[in-house]
Amino acid sequence: MKFVIDLIEDIRASIANHPTYTFGVGLLKKDPTDSTTMHYAGESPLNWVRFDSDTKQLCFGIDGSSKRVCVEELLPSLVIADMESMMYPILIDVNTHHKGVEVIGFGKNDAEQRYLLFITLE
């Protein structure tokens, strides 16, 4: 599981807080013959984000709209958050059947200027 503080640090280190990068979700699937290996299974843009102090989480979601969450939109509110908020987990609502999926890693696609949050689905 990744937390807000992990996200802030990785965005700074991997894309130098570049404001025009958009967020996407990358799906990793376990290899059926080797449980220690994961394979990239595709990605989707993230359409919304909610930094929620009531549920104590940072939640991204996919709704199929043309809206894209970008670093410029989200990062300023994260870097000024208090220490408790920095420990909120990062979750993704993929669809109605897969809500609150934990983010397990980060990545980037420089060619498409996309910052990726990786998940795995059972």
Side-chain angles (χ1 to χ4, degrees):
M1 174 182 289
K2 295 294 183 179
F3 300 92
V4 170
I5 191 139
D6 301 323
L7 178 66
I8 293 168
E9 290 174 357
D10 193 74
I11 288 174
R12 182 181 59 239
S14 66
I15 63 170
N17 297 342
H18 198 287
T20 61
Y21 271 66
T22 59
F23 286 91
V25 59
L27 177 61
L28 299 175
K29 290 194 172 186
K30 292 181 182 173
D31 186 320
T33 60
D34 179 5
S35 63
T36 63
T37 303
M38 310 264 305
H39 295 283
Y40 175 74
E43 66 185 65
S44 177
L46 290 165
N47 309 115
W48 58 266
V49 63
R50 183 178 60 247
F51 191 56
D52 194 331
S53 57
D54 291 334
T55 60
K56 298 187 181 208
Q57 63 187 17
L58 175 63
C59 190
F60 290 86
I62 300 169
D63 63 13
S65 71
S66 61
K67 175 145 176 34
R68 302 293 182 260
V69 179
C70 67
V71 169
E72 179 179 48
E73 170 187 341
L74 178 62
L75 198 57
S77 63
L78 295 183
V79 297
I80 64 169
D82 60 31
M83 279 310 293
E84 180 183 354
S85 301
M86 294 284 179
M87 297 310 297
Y88 289 178
I90 304 168
L91 306 172
I92 297 180
D93 287 352
V94 178
N95 56 36
T96 56
H97 300 292
H98 294 87
K99 290 186 172 266
V101 178
E102 294 178 358
V103 171
I104 61 169
F106 306 118
K108 65 179 179 165
N109 179 331
D110 288 325
E112 294 183 21
Q113 290 198 325
R114 188 169 299 145
Y115 184 81
L116 298 170
L117 308 176
F118 286 105
I119 62 170
T120 184
L121 298 175
E122 300 298 318

